[in-house]
């Protein structure tokens, strides 16, 4: 639901083989902000069976679901998680047992997506900077990596993410604004972007320090979207040059886990 582009939303919907996919919005991280819910319906209701779940409002409004949350979520083709405060969101989900419901949805093959907090939540660890100094947060642990968003929009996050990885956080992925990581189960299938030139990075600890590797990214606009068709089985684009950006901290350990990446070149 980017304000100036539908490229990422269109890409996500293209993954669903249904004429009118069932899409449910979780605006928990924003405190169920009304304007966010309205923006969701404006974007998705014309082509989808759209609904939302509010944990903070008694009056759900049109399309809202108040009871039987688990069966409703498990019947969706796509669950879209909004941005905001990932710490508050995860706390609210756990209080309502939605964390377990979302894990079950993932195992069933429901497409899970979202920007900002809606990206951080799926990983084992993430960097949150919504209030105060950036800090590590434990996510739902569906993806066995760490995640850092707004890598170019909030430059201080880069140094903090490197510090956390050097101090023992799992290695993982950092993304600039407008960039999305597409995983199939725990395998990175490709990296796509709604902004020309924007990209993602693999960030890993090594005995010599933290290494940042720029990943090939497919721009979805203009004719570039044609290059984002699924790659042939086993095809793999080589990452671009790695940069060693920070020294290894004493006492830190290399804890990254391997991933088979298939980023598509623009």
């Amino acid at each position: 639901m980017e304000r100036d582009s539908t490229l990422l939303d269109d890409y996500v919907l293209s993954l669903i083989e249904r004429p009118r996919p069932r899409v449910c919005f979780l605006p928990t991280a924003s405190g169920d902000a009304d304007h966010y819910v309205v923006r969701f319906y404006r974007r998705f209701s014309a082509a989808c069976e759209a609904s939302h779940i509010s944990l903070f409002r008694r009056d759900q409004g049109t399309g809202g679901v108040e009871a039987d949350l688990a069966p409703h979520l498990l019947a969706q083709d796509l669950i879209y998680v909004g941005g905001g405060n990932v710490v508050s969101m995860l706390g609210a989900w756990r209080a309502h047992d939605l964390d377990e419901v979302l894990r079950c949805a993932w195992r069933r093959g429901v497409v899970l997506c979202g920007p900002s907090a809606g990206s951080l939540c799926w990983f084992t660890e993430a960097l949150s900077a919504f209030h105060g100094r950036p800090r590590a947060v434990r996510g739902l642990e569906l993806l066995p990596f760490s995640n850092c968003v707004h890598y170019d929009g909030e430059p201080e996050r880069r140094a903090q993410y490197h510090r956390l990885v050097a101090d023992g956080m799992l290695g993982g992925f950092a993304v600039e604004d407008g960039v999305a990581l597409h995983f199939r189960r725990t395998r990175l299938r490709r990296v796509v972007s709604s902004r020309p030139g924007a990209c993602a990075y693999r960030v890993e600890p090594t005995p010599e320090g933290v290494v940042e590797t720029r990943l090939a990214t497919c721009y979805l606009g203009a004719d570039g979207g044609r290059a984002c068709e699924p790659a042939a089985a086993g095809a793999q684009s080589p990452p671009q040059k790695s940069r060693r950006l920070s020294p290894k901290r004493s006492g830190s350990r290399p804890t990254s886990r391997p991933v088979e990446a298939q980023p598509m070149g623009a």
Side-chain angles (χ1 to χ4, degrees):
M1 286 184 284
E2 294 180 286
R3 296 184 184 277
D4 57 353
S5 172
T6 65
L7 291 173
L8 293 179
D9 293 335
D10 294 340
Y11 178 81
V12 172
L13 290 175
S14 74
L15 305 177
I16 303 169
E17 297 179 356
R18 181 186 291 269
R20 284 186 63 83
R22 295 162 295 193
V23 181
C24 187
F25 182 45
L26 295 180
T28 318
S30 67
D32 299 333
D34 291 334
H35 67 87
Y36 210 171
V37 175
V38 169
R39 186 150 47 110
F40 164 75
Y41 280 103
R42 285 176 177 170
R43 173 65 186 89
F44 288 97
S45 60
C48 307
E49 297 297 331
S51 63
H52 75 282
I53 288 175
S54 172
L55 300 181
F56 297 101
R57 307 292 179 91
R58 180 179 292 273
D59 181 11
Q60 288 272 18
T62 303
V65 180
E66 297 186 18
D68 299 323
L69 302 185
H72 181 77
L73 285 172
L74 295 177
Q76 300 303 300
D77 300 300
L78 169 66
I79 297 174
Y80 195 125
V81 177
N85 189 327
V86 66
V87 177
S88 297
M89 178 180 74
L90 289 169
W93 283 356
R94 287 163 180 150
H96 292 269
D97 296 324
L98 288 190
D99 54 335
E100 291 302 323
V101 175
L102 291 170
R103 290 188 181 98
C104 184
W106 178 74
R107 290 192 294 269
R108 292 190 181 191
V110 177
V111 179
L112 308 175
C113 75
S116 195
S119 171
L120 300 176
C121 61
W122 313 118
F123 291 79
T124 296
E125 295 181 280
L127 184 147
S128 172
F130 193 84
H131 284 307
R133 187 176 179 83
R135 60 180 174 128
V137 174
R138 201 81 178 173
L140 296 183
E141 304 184 31
L142 303 184
L143 300 173
F145 316 103
S146 61
N147 184 216
C148 178
V149 297
H150 306 309
Y151 212 47
D152 58 338
E154 300 175 17
E156 68 278 4
R157 291 192 185 225
R158 189 182 219 122
Q160 292 294 340
Y161 186 41
H162 285 210
R163 178 183 62 80
L164 289 171
V165 170
D167 284 345
M169 176 184 270
L170 287 171
F173 299 88
V175 293
E176 297 179 351
D177 291 341
V179 178
L181 303 166
H182 175 189
F183 287 87
R184 186 172 180 85
R185 296 302 181 187
T186 60
R187 177 172 178 162
L188 182 65
R189 186 172 176 84
R190 61 175 62 90
V191 183
V192 298
S193 174
S194 63
R195 295 170 50 211
C199 64
Y201 301 86
R202 186 76 162 94
V203 179
E204 303 172 279
T206 73
E208 293 75 32
V210 174
V211 172
E212 179 183 278
T213 304
R214 180 170 176 163
L215 300 175
T217 303
C218 177
Y219 172 53
L220 295 170
D223 293 334
R226 298 176 187 172
C228 296
E229 293 301 315
Q236 196 165 354
S237 289
Q240 298 182 28
K241 186 178 180 180
S242 302
R243 291 193 297 161
R244 184 167 289 110
L245 296 174
S246 52
K248 177 175 170 61
R249 300 289 185 96
S250 59
S252 65
R253 61 190 188 282
T255 54
S256 63
R257 304 183 186 184
V259 59
E260 293 183 71
Q262 287 189 318
M264 296 293 292

